[in-house]
DNA sequence: AATAGGATCAACCGCTTGAAC
DNA sequence: TGTTCAAGCGGTTGATCCTAT
């Protein structure tokens, strides 16, 4: 018989009793599923459980559709299988998850995403349904609390794993590479991808496919000049790594960035390769669809070659992206933004979305445009995809704003180089620990030292490492709302920023906060807006609540 | 004590995969 | 090679429980 070892079982039993006027009523007419026969639906009764258990004990698992016939159960085979697998199997562990199991689930989810069955295989006695339910509730809880889905240790581990994967992948060459195998080896769920028809690219990239594969899409596009001379002759080392990111999304990213590159083409926009050298998350993973419309590709090629300032289709489906989207038949992530949302961010008047709004956006349906212009991972929910999605958001925002910039005829070459550099550092950024916030903060900024155009406002300070807050897209500064950043995100962003500028983690953070926040504030102050910096309270313009939250998250004092 | 809202969990649905034919 | 079917999987739903007010 079934041993009621957990509260949930007891509850379930009670529920079953409640729902079943007669415990022996195995086939009630009330709920019936299709197929013409009256198959019972709803909660299982203990009598049904008994029948099923006896049947399975006698005949073994499998052939579930025969259960109904031979046992008299009015349940479809599917239902029987599920009942057995989730509740009646003798090897099932009852009760709630132990802390060890919980940790394991988090770890596995970081690697596998929503592969509940695979996760269940790693957790003896646990079912996919159990794990799925646990995870979903946990996610909800964390989202409500505004906490990261994955603990820092898992994030770091994932990064390390991914780095190792990159190193491994970067050693590969060849024309047709199946990333899936390699990626599977590190436990990341990457769908099969075949790099076919890479030859198509060779013509205009003037790079071998293997080269192509070693090129981060972001760089490729950014420097499209892609004039052969730029095609990684210079520093064309093997620092570029393969991405463990879903190749589908990479294709989209490439596609997307082709557009960007078109818009941002500048004759002297040199690649800033070093930006990627240590970026574990800037790894190209080129997926090429064999059915891709060559003509469309060619048109992209032409565009690239001509440096023609093609404005990427913003609201319509661009011809170059459409075929890709169709051919790939991609699963689109839920976490993308509508064109209007993206567009609105590009406007100086629009502050960056708060995390709360991001949460909201995550729930938002995709616009067609966004789908076609964004790299699109499967929505499997792996840690990397979480990271990726945040990147794609940044890129989307950048792309849109960049398009706007083109339309505005704003194309200062030197500024462009800087902008490209910054974008590389941000858009193709390795995950700042919480990349979504880190780059959302930094992607907007152009180093003052790089700007030479007289019509560009210069920061009072041009010290390397200090950034003014001139947006790349316009001469206006962004209204970056730090108040809307989670404290941990903000701090992660800061550390990321410090790392980018070569600042040791042990050095004082206050100056960097000043760089990050002070200039912004001083700017706003100039605009008659925000508060001046107040070093005395070490808040740097942050709301006290925000700062206090940071301190709660991180074990250093405000006076650090 | 009543109740509203959130949490939990079991079960279902639709889709995909793979084997058999 | 195409079709059919069983099994598996992941997402979603709905019933119940729990808890705060």
């Amino acid at each position: 018989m079934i041993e009621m070892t957990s509260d949930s079982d007891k509850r379930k039993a009670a529920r079953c009793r409640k729902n079943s006027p007669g415990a022996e009523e195995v086939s009630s007419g009330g709920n019936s599923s299709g197929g013409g026969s009256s198959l019972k639906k709803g909660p299982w009764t203990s009598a049904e459980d008994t029948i099923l258990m006896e049947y399975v004990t006698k005949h073994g698992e499998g052939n579930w559709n025969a259960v109904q016939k031979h046992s008299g159960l009015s349940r479809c085979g599917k239902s029987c299988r599920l009942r057995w697998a989730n509740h009646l199997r003798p090897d099932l562990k009852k009760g709630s998850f132990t802390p060890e199991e919980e940790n394991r689930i988090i770890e596995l989810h970081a690697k596998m995403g929503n592969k509940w069955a695979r996760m269940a295989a790693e957790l003896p006695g646990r079912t996919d349904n159990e794990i799925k339910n646990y995870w979903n509730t946990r996610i909800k809880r964390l989202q409500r609390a505004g906490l990261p889905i994955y603990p820092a240790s898992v994030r770091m581990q994932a990064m390390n794993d991914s780095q190792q994967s990159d190193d491994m992948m970067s050693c590969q060459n060849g024309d047709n590479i199946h990333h899936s195998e390699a990626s599977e080896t590190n436990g990341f769920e990457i769908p099969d991808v075949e790099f076919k028809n890479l030859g198509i690219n060779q013509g205009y990239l003037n790079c071998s496919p293997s080269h192509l594969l070693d090129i981060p899409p972001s760089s490729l596009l950014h420097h499209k000049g892609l004039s052969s001379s730029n095609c990684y002759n210079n520093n064309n080392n093997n620092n570029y790594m393969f991405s463990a990111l879903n190749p589908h999304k990479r294709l989209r990213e490439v596609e997307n960035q082709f557009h960007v590159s078109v818009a941002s083409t500048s004759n002297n926009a040199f690649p800033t390769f070093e930006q990627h050298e240590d970026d574990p998350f800037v790894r190209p993973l080129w997926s090429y669809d064999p059915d891709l419309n060559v003509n469309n590709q060619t048109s992209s090629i032409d565009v690239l070659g001509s440096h023609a300032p093609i404005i990427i289709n913003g609201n319509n489906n661009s011809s170059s992206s459409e075929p890709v989207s169709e051919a790939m038949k991609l699963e689109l992530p839920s976490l993308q933004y509508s064109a209007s949302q993206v567009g609105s961010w590009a406007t100086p008047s629009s502050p960056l979305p708060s995390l709360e709004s991001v949460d909201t956006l995550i729930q938002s349906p995709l616009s067609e445009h966004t789908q076609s212009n964004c790299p699109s991972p499967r929505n499997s929910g792996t840690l990397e995809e979480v990271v990726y999605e945040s990147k794609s958001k940044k890129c989307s925002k950048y792309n849109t704003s960049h398009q706007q910039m083109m339309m505005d005829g704003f194309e200062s070459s030197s500024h462009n180089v800087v902008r490209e550099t910054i974008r590389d550092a941000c858009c193709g950024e390795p995950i700042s620990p919480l990349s979504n916030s880190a780059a959302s903060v930094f992607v907007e900024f152009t180093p003052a030292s790089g700007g030479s155009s007289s019509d560009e406002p210069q920061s009072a300070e041009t010290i390397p490492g200090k950034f003014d807050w001139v947006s790349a897209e316009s001469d206006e500064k962004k209204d970056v709302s730090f108040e809307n950043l989670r404290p941990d995100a903000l701090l992660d962003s800061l550390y990321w920023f410090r790392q980018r500028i070569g600042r040791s983690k042990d050095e004082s953070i206050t100056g960097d906060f000043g760089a990050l926040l002070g200039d912004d504030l001083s700017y706003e102050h100039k605009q008659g807006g925000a508060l001046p910096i107040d070093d005395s309270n070490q808040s740097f313009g942050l709301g006290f609540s925000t700062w206090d939250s940071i301190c709660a998250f991180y074990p250093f004092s405000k006076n650090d």
Side-chain angles (χ1 to χ4, degrees):
Chain A
M1 284 303 292
I2 308 157
E3 192 184 0
M4 302 290 181
T5 56
S6 70
D7 291 346
S8 67
D9 281 340
K10 290 169 190 164
R11 276 205 307 272
K12 174 183 62 69
R15 208 180 300 161
C16 286
R17 281 191 295 274
K18 220 185 248 183
N19 287 348
S20 306
E24 306 308 320
E25 184 192 37
V26 168
S27 87
S28 72
N31 295 322
S32 60
S33 60
S37 63
S38 62
L39 294 177
K40 189 183 173 194
K41 290 165 77 175
W44 280 64
T45 64
S46 52
E48 288 175 302
D49 283 343
T50 304
I51 293 171
L52 180 58
M53 283 193 76
E54 282 173 358
Y55 178 87
V56 174
T57 304
K58 198 171 172 184
H59 300 94
E61 296 182 46
N63 203 11
W64 294 107
N65 284 339
V67 175
Q68 186 199 354
K69 265 186 253 170
H70 299 136
S71 69
L73 267 181
S74 293
R75 296 278 185 172
C76 70
K78 215 173 176 178
S79 184
C80 292
R81 184 185 62 81
L82 218 55
R83 183 65 185 173
W84 173 259
N86 290 340
H87 299 281
L88 304 179
R89 257 167 46 201
D91 59 333
L92 283 181
K93 234 186 240 180
K94 308 282 184 177
S96 51
F97 288 104
T98 65
E100 290 73 28
E101 286 175 319
E102 291 177 358
N103 289 337
R104 186 75 181 128
I105 289 170
I106 293 167
E107 195 179 304
L108 289 170
H109 192 274
K111 290 180 182 176
M112 299 174 177
N114 298 351
K115 300 296 177 186
W116 312 119
R118 281 180 58 185
M119 291 166 73
E122 303 274 334
L123 290 165
R126 298 300 186 179
T127 70
D128 54 351
N129 213 25
E130 253 182 314
I131 296 170
K132 180 171 59 181
N133 285 335
Y134 166 76
W135 184 260
N136 288 337
T137 38
R138 178 179 174 279
I139 286 295
K140 272 189 207 164
R141 218 166 30 225
L142 292 174
Q143 276 183 339
R144 261 200 313 277
L147 296 171
I149 294 172
Y150 301 99
S153 58
V154 173
R155 298 202 305 263
M156 289 306 297
Q157 180 58 47
M159 285 178 67
N160 292 338
D161 289 350
S162 138
Q163 178 85 51
Q164 285 167 12
S165 166
D166 291 342
D167 292 343
M168 182 178 67
M169 297 292 277
S170 66
C171 295
Q172 294 186 14
N173 58 12
D175 294 340
N176 294 316
I177 298 174
H178 294 257
H179 287 263
S180 58
E181 289 181 19
S183 56
E184 287 289 349
T185 60
N186 77 351
F188 283 88
E189 182 76 8
I190 307 293
D192 290 350
V193 175
E194 295 187 355
F195 295 87
K196 299 174 181 173
N197 297 347
L198 282 173
I200 293 170
N201 279 336
Q202 289 181 269
Y204 69 96
L205 293 178
N206 197 20
C207 295
S208 71
S210 59
H211 252 134
L212 184 60
L213 290 168
D214 279 342
I215 297 164
S218 53
S219 296
L220 182 62
L221 326 154
H222 299 169
H223 312 118
K224 82 252 132 234
L226 279 196
S227 42
S228 50
S229 62
N230 283 354
C231 194
Y232 313 106
N233 296 340
N234 178 19
N235 277 344
N236 190 6
N237 52 34
N238 291 325
N239 288 328
Y240 297 104
M241 308 172 194
F242 283 110
S243 176
L245 294 179
N246 186 318
H248 284 177
K249 64 187 146 191
R250 274 298 182 179
L251 174 62
R252 294 227 171 181
E253 186 171 359
V254 169
E255 176 200 11
N256 192 22
Q257 297 192 11
F258 271 156
H259 296 317
V260 172
S261 67
V262 167
S264 63
T265 296
S266 168
N267 291 337
N268 46 2
F270 294 104
T272 53
F273 297 101
E274 66 281 2
Q275 294 291 338
H276 294 299
E277 286 179 4
D278 57 353
D279 285 357
F281 279 81
V282 182
R283 293 144 301 173
L285 195 60
W286 293 67
S287 127
Y288 227 86
D289 191 275
D291 298 322
L292 203 59
N293 183 312
V294 174
N295 289 334
N296 279 307
Q297 290 182 35
T298 303
S299 65
S300 295
I301 293 165
D302 291 343
V303 166
L304 291 169
S306 67
H307 289 199
I310 303 301
I311 301 304
I312 290 52
N313 182 335
N315 298 316
N316 311 319
N317 292 324
S318 70
S319 61
S320 56
S321 47
E322 207 167 29
V324 176
S325 303
E326 289 173 1
M328 294 300 292
K329 194 188 171 192
L330 296 172
E331 289 181 33
L332 295 164
S334 59
L335 189 129
Q336 291 189 15
Y337 303 100
S338 70
S340 61
Q341 285 162 335
V342 171
S344 68
W345 297 353
T347 63
S349 60
S350 304
L352 288 168
S354 67
L355 280 160
E356 290 74 17
S357 65
V358 166
D359 285 345
T360 302
L361 290 166
I362 288 171
Q363 314 297 333
S364 303
L366 301 175
S367 74
E368 223 177 299
H369 161 65
T370 309
Q371 289 177 25
S372 64
N373 269 358
C374 292
S376 178
R378 286 170 153 253
N379 189 20
S380 68
T382 59
L383 175 56
E384 281 220 339
E385 286 178 0
V386 170
V387 167
Y388 155 76
E389 286 176 354
S390 75
K391 284 170 61 183
S392 79
K393 276 181 280 182
K394 289 174 285 180
C395 289
S396 294
K397 182 157 69 74
Y398 176 84
N399 293 348
T400 307
S401 57
H402 211 88
Q403 294 165 20
Q404 183 61 49
M405 178 185 71
M406 276 300 298
M407 288 183 271
D408 293 341
F410 182 83
E411 194 65 10
S412 161
S413 61
S414 60
H415 199 104
N416 221 27
V417 176
V418 173
R419 195 166 46 233
E420 300 273 321
T421 303
I422 295 303
R423 179 159 49 94
D424 280 359
C426 299
C427 232
E429 172 52 21
I431 213 169
S432 74
L434 272 172
S435 61
N436 56 334
S437 50
S440 6
V441 171
F442 295 106
V443 73
E444 303 294 331
F445 314 119
T446 302
S449 55
S452 60
S453 173
S454 60
D455 58 353
E456 294 171 21
Q458 297 293 308
S459 167
E461 297 175 302
T462 56
I463 303 165
K466 287 235 174 186
F467 291 74
D468 77 7
W469 289 61
V470 180
S471 79
E473 300 84 320
S474 75
D475 291 347
E476 294 181 67
K477 299 204 176 193
K478 292 292 187 186
D479 175 14
V480 179
S481 176
F482 282 93
E483 297 289 12
N484 288 333
L485 290 178
R486 294 197 315 244
D488 58 332
L490 183 54
L491 255 292
D492 282 340
S493 299
L494 176 64
Y495 280 134
W496 169 85
F497 171 65
R498 289 160 61 85
Q499 199 174 9
R500 302 301 295 185
I501 64 174
R503 194 74 63 90
S504 134
K505 195 170 181 175
D506 295 324
E507 294 174 68
S508 165
I509 69 168
T510 53
D512 293 338
F513 257 130
L516 279 169
L517 307 175
D519 285 356
D520 180 47
L521 292 165
S522 63
Y523 163 79
E524 291 186 357
H525 188 55
K526 274 187 290 184
Q527 303 295 309
L531 300 166
I533 305 170
D534 180 359
D535 276 306
S536 64
N537 66 14
Q538 301 290 320
S539 74
F540 300 102
L542 287 173
F544 281 107
S545 59
T546 302
W547 182 257
D548 288 341
S549 300
I550 290 170
C551 293
F553 267 80
Y554 290 84
F556 54 70
S557 76
K558 293 179 183 180
N559 294 324
D560 176 15

